[in-house]
Amino acid sequence: MTLRIGFIGCGLIGRSHATKLQEPVNAGDAEIVSAFDLDGERAKIFCDEFGPALASSAEQVVAESDAVYVATWTAAHPELVAMVADAGKPVFCEKPLGVDLETARRMVDAVEKTGVINQVGLVLRNSSSFRWLHHQVASGANGQPMSMMFRDDQYIPTQGLYGSTWRGDVNLAGSGTLLEHSIHDLDLIDWVMGPIERVSCHTRNHHSIDGIEDQATVILESASGAICTLSSTWHDILSRPGHRYIEVFCQDGYLALDGEWHGPMFRDMTGETRTTVEQGQAAIDTAAALDGLGTNPDAAFVNAVLEGRPAYPDFRIALRAHELCDAAYRSAEMNGTPTDV
Ligand SMILES: NC(=O)c1ccc[n+]([C@@H]2O[C@H](COP(=O)([O-])OP(=O)(O)OC[C@H]3O[C@@H](n4cnc5c(N)ncnc54)[C@H](O)[C@@H]3O)[C@@H](O)[C@H]2O)c1
């Protein structure tokens, strides 16, 4: 069977998903048949490249498709997700789900009430690096987890390859680097080291863009006793479009990632005298052998829809990340007071 896919939003991330949808899936075929963007020129370029018919409205995309991607700026997600869910069709929505926690809750209700298959763009759950790290910690092979240092930096994405003015508009983005970018990181920290029980956070706004923080530093306390720190920075260093560097200390093992998709990943164990390094294809193969998940989140979505089973990661997983983010912002408003999640 061929799954007919529609796109609402034909910008940077829409194009990225469309590109990944060109790769083979297991359960059948997928074809992008319909696309719409408020920016007609963008939509036309997308249609010329990926082949769908140019639609004149979001409603038309929903009517013409079996499953729909919502890849617009964040503030537009809720209404469009509701439209797709009300039509009873599977939906892939970009992260963050909405501009705040309450909106995210309503969106989870919308997909769960209608029972549509749903997936969120927390795509780093599919990365080889983070699956390796999750496995290393969860297996217990490295002993008791003690700490994580998670550094995420990118140039402020109102410029350069992102070039999105909406990321500087609090009404469209919701807030700055913690919600718009590091909601990925909050999800990953909770997945690898969690559950996180308490956070404390400070934010700064060096660029003086109203409501858009460009530095967030968060301390996250895990139920296991581990303490994690996240530093999320939006700077102006145009040679750094985005990079994640993570170190984990367990009692008997040191783990590190220098890069978010395929490493390199480093491991030092008690009694070893040299660092083990995995990267590139070796990293992909290692991660694939751990859980059988592919590294293509879009193929995973198509396979789930064609096989009629739940997709992963779903909106409820994203809601948990929104809860962490909301607790961090509440803490920042109280000058870093520890806040329960
Ligand atoms: N998963 C990831 O790693 C990742 C990476 C980048 C962006 N994102 C998320 O994806 C979303 C889009 O980001 P982007 O970088 O592609 O932005 P972008 O500016 O490149 O594209 C967004 C597009 O949405 C269109 N749009 C807005 N409202 C619309 C509506 N109601 N109907 C139709 N089109 C509409 C705009 O015209 C624009 O072309 C954001 O929520 C962002 O946070 C996720």
Side-chain angles (χ1 to χ4, degrees):
M1 176 190 165
T2 299
L3 187 73
R4 298 173 306 153
I5 294 183
F7 268 80
I8 308 173
C10 302
L12 183 77
I13 201 67
R15 300 177 60 78
S16 164
H17 289 300
T19 303
K20 284 207 162 70
L21 284 168
Q22 313 298 309
E23 293 175 18
V25 296
N26 298 329
D29 295 319
E31 188 185 349
I32 305 173
V33 296
S34 183
F36 172 69
D37 194 296
L38 289 179
D39 180 333
E41 187 56 28
R42 274 196 171 183
K44 187 175 175 317
I45 292 169
F46 182 95
C47 290
D48 288 347
E49 183 168 351
F50 298 105
L54 183 61
S56 57
S57 67
E59 288 83 352
Q60 188 184 346
V61 172
V62 176
E64 292 174 349
S65 312
D66 301 319
V68 177
Y69 275 71
V70 173
T72 63
W73 52 60
T74 304
H77 293 173
E79 183 189 341
L80 296 167
V81 163
M83 187 189 296
V84 183
D86 286 346
K89 299 192 175 176
V91 60
F92 186 117
C93 179
E94 260 312 329
K95 53 48 59 182
L97 286 178
V99 295
D100 57 27
L101 176 59
E102 276 318 304
T103 310
R105 282 206 179 106
R106 283 200 299 277
M107 294 171 73
V108 173
D109 286 347
V111 293
E112 291 189 350
K113 194 178 66 195
T114 51
V116 297
I117 293 170
N118 56 91
Q119 186 168 328
V120 70
L122 290 171
V123 292
L124 290 175
R125 288 233 181 188
N126 286 79
S127 86
S128 312
S129 304
F130 282 104
R131 277 152 63 200
W132 174 85
L133 188 65
H134 172 74
H135 175 77
Q136 287 289 341
V137 174
S139 70
N142 299 280
Q144 174 72 21
M146 298 173 72
S147 69
M148 171 186 265
M149 190 281 300
F150 198 124
R151 189 196 74 203
D152 186 345
D153 78 282
Q154 70 173 183
Y155 60 73
I156 189 164
T158 49
Q159 56 191 324
L161 74 93
Y162 308 99
S164 52
T165 50
W166 67 265
R167 284 183 168 91
D169 182 339
V170 69
N171 295 315
L172 299 181
S175 46
T177 187
L178 190 61
L179 175 71
E180 161 48 30
H181 183 57
S182 284
I183 195 160
H184 281 294
D185 308 335
L186 294 169
D187 172 55
L188 293 165
I189 293 169
D190 195 48
W191 185 46
V192 174
M193 302 292 282
I196 299 301
E197 291 186 326
R198 194 173 306 109
V199 297
S200 105
C201 175
H202 290 281
T203 59
R204 294 288 183 271
N205 189 343
H206 300 271
H207 287 84
S208 302
I209 305 173
D210 189 28
I212 306 293
E213 84 281 357
D214 50 21
Q215 173 67 41
T217 303
V218 193
I219 297 176
L220 306 100
E221 297 175 58
S222 166
S224 72
I227 301 177
C228 311
T229 54
L230 167 65
S231 177
S232 174
T233 306
W234 272 351
H235 47 64
D236 290 306
I237 308 160
L238 292 180
S239 56
R240 296 184 67 88
H243 191 75
R244 289 179 168 91
Y245 187 83
I246 295 101
E247 291 181 302
V248 171
F249 279 97
C250 299
Q251 217 160 327
D252 304 315
Y254 164 83
L255 309 160
L257 305 182
D258 190 359
E260 54 217 25
W261 274 98
H262 306 312
M265 297 106 85
F266 306 90
R267 183 165 50 84
D268 284 341
M269 292 286 288
T270 307
E272 288 181 4
T273 53
R274 43 182 285 193
T275 303
T276 306
V277 184
E278 293 184 63
Q279 70 187 114
Q281 190 58 45
I284 298 172
D285 294 344
T286 303
L290 294 174
D291 56 19
L293 265 181
T295 53
N296 181 336
D298 301 290
F301 177 63
V302 171
N303 283 324
V305 173
L306 286 172
E307 291 167 359
R309 56 177 168 75
Y312 172 88
D314 64 10
F315 278 32
R316 192 151 276 282
I317 288 175
L319 181 59
R320 169 77 183 155
H322 274 276
E323 286 167 351
L324 288 164
C325 194
D326 181 73
Y329 282 136
R330 282 189 281 121
S331 167
E333 274 172 22
M334 298 183 287
N335 199 26
T337 303
T339 302
D340 290 342
V341 179

